[in-house]
Amino acid sequence: MIKKIIKADIWMLLLGCALVAVSVSSFAVPNDIAAGGLTGLATIIFSFTGLPVGVSILVMNIPVFIIAAKKFGFKFLYKSLIATVFMSVFIDVAAAVLPAYSNDRLLCAIFGGALSGTGMALVFMRGATTGGVDIIAKLVNGKFGFLSIGNIILLLDACVVLLAAVAYGNIESSLYAAVLIFVQSKVIDSLIYGADKGRV
């Protein structure tokens, strides 16, 4: 029974991370859409240095996981660590083997958000996260309890989106990122809580 649960977790994490990877590599990165979080930050870094997005995500997550492990323990984080490694590897593999779509940035934002939202929902449903901002928000919330985790994530994502506008020298990148984040959040809510609860 336990083995079946573990296998189910792994397959769901693999599928979820693969969908996020396609979203990032085929839709977000080729169109300079830095949709918040460490993935968005890694997208900006890639645009100016060429450093693979997956590598950047993994490197930036190392100190986050070390600090979080000291506070929450490894048992709390092991699924998220697995998901983060899967996602980072898949993003760079997808970038190498999948075509990039760049004909319509609005479509990229919509489909990128739908794919990443679906992938992240699958990861969340197995009790994991994709690392980065989610864990940072939990750490900040532990120190400043008056700040909700949702508001912390929103603030951090907003900072990355605004940084993208400055880095790319145009507001359009941030606007498309906002569309992707909106679609992503709606898909996550719908899949995890159901369409009715998602609207509420």
Side-chain angles (χ1 to χ4, degrees), residues 139-160:
L139 287 168
V140 174
N141 173 257
K143 193 171 183 64
F144 304 100
F146 60 91
L147 293 173
S148 72
I149 290 177
N151 285 336
I152 296 168
I153 291 174
L154 182 62
L155 178 62
L156 293 173
D157 282 346
C159 289
V160 173

Side-chain angles (χ1 to χ4, degrees), residues 43-88:
T43 300
I44 297 172
I45 292 171
F46 170 79
S47 298
F48 292 94
T49 67
L51 185 67
V53 173
V55 172
S56 293
I57 292 172
L58 202 54
V59 169
M60 287 188 286
N61 266 296
I62 290 173
V64 174
F65 275 99
I66 290 174
I67 295 170
K70 290 179 179 178
K71 185 170 181 62
F72 304 122
F74 181 74
K75 186 177 180 181
F76 172 80
L77 294 169
Y78 83 95
K79 285 185 182 179
S80 295
L81 179 59
I82 292 171
T84 301
V85 172
F86 280 162
M87 186 186 72
S88 300

Side-chain angles (χ1 to χ4, degrees), residues 58-139:
L58 202 54
V59 169
M60 287 188 286
N61 266 296
I62 290 173
V64 174
F65 275 99
I66 290 174
I67 295 170
K70 290 179 179 178
K71 185 170 181 62
F72 304 122
F74 181 74
K75 186 177 180 181
F76 172 80
L77 294 169
Y78 83 95
K79 285 185 182 179
S80 295
L81 179 59
I82 292 171
T84 301
V85 172
F86 280 162
M87 186 186 72
S88 300
V89 172
F90 286 173
I91 286 174
D92 288 346
V93 171
V97 301
L98 294 180
Y101 180 83
S102 56
N103 291 334
D104 187 320
R105 293 179 81 189
L106 180 58
L107 285 178
C108 288
I110 293 172
F111 279 93
L115 282 171
S116 63
T118 302
M120 291 177 71
L122 292 176
V123 171
F124 293 158
M125 285 190 284
R126 304 317 295 185
T129 72
T130 53
V133 167
D134 297 335
I135 295 176
I136 293 172
K138 191 166 182 62
L139 287 168

Side-chain angles (χ1 to χ4, degrees), residues 30-46:
N31 294 280
D32 292 337
I33 301 176
L38 295 188
T39 302
L41 196 56
T43 300
I44 297 172
I45 292 171
F46 170 79

